Amino acid sequence: MNEFTERSPENKKELFNLRHSSLRTIIERGFGILKSRFRSIDGNSFWSYETQVDLVFACCIIHNRIMGVDPNDFLLEEICLESESFRRTINLSQREEREENREWITKREMIASTMWNDYNTQRN
């Protein structure tokens, strides 16, 4: 992401990668915070899928309530530092998988083209 801090994306691939990376970082950080705060969702679960979905939803609600009471919660700082090294490790394996899977590459190209067209329309 450092490559985009001082300039705008120049093509659809750069725009897609910028937005994908930004979203992924936010999602990883969110799940990292939830897993640290609520150990019951960290690891293998014995609950059904539906129960797991409800559990994560309930944890999000509780977390948001805690943040409303104490927005300077120590857990947020801790997770932000840990997520950077974790993200670097995951990105390597996912790049390899993405190159092997042509179907996903095609979908990515379609999404990137749509994003790029919308981005250029908004700039003009």
Side-chain angles (χ1 to χ4, degrees), residues 11-12 22 26-27 29-31 35 37 40 50 68-71 75-77 93 95 98-101 104 110 113:
N11 57 50
K12 65 182 182 181
S22 298
I26 291 167
I27 291 169
R29 189 174 296 141
F31 275 106
K35 286 180 176 184
R37 187 179 298 278
S40 61
E50 291 81 13
V69 172
D70 183 11
L75 191 58
L76 291 178
E77 259 183 54
S93 64
R95 276 191 214 126
R98 187 171 57 223
E99 291 303 318
E100 294 174 6
N101 190 335
W104 284 107
M110 289 172 34
S113 293

Side-chain angles (χ1 to χ4, degrees), residues 74-99:
F74 73 93
L75 191 58
L76 291 178
E77 259 183 54
E78 213 174 276
I79 298 303
C80 292
L81 294 174
E82 292 173 3
S83 68
E84 182 63 29
S85 62
F86 176 71
R87 189 178 42 174
R88 284 189 201 122
T89 304
I90 287 183
N91 280 342
L92 291 176
S93 64
Q94 286 190 334
R95 276 191 214 126
E96 292 167 1
E97 290 174 15
R98 187 171 57 223
E99 291 303 318

Side-chain angles (χ1 to χ4, degrees), residues 6 16-17 22 27 29 33 36 39 41 53 59 64 67 75-76 91 96 100 102 104 113 116 122:
E6 295 183 19
F16 178 87
N17 288 341
S22 298
I27 291 169
R29 189 174 296 141
I33 290 168
S36 291
R39 297 292 181 191
I41 61 172
V53 170
C59 289
N64 287 342
M67 293 309 298
L75 191 58
L76 291 178
N91 280 342
E96 292 167 1
E100 294 174 6
R102 293 288 164 216
W104 284 107
S113 293
W116 184 246
Q122 290 173 1

Side-chain angles (χ1 to χ4, degrees), residues 35-58:
K35 286 180 176 184
S36 291
R37 187 179 298 278
F38 305 103
R39 297 292 181 191
S40 61
I41 61 172
D42 188 19
N44 293 334
S45 178
F46 56 88
W47 292 305
S48 69
Y49 177 76
E50 291 81 13
T51 301
Q52 290 179 54
V53 170
D54 290 342
L55 183 61
V56 170
F57 185 61

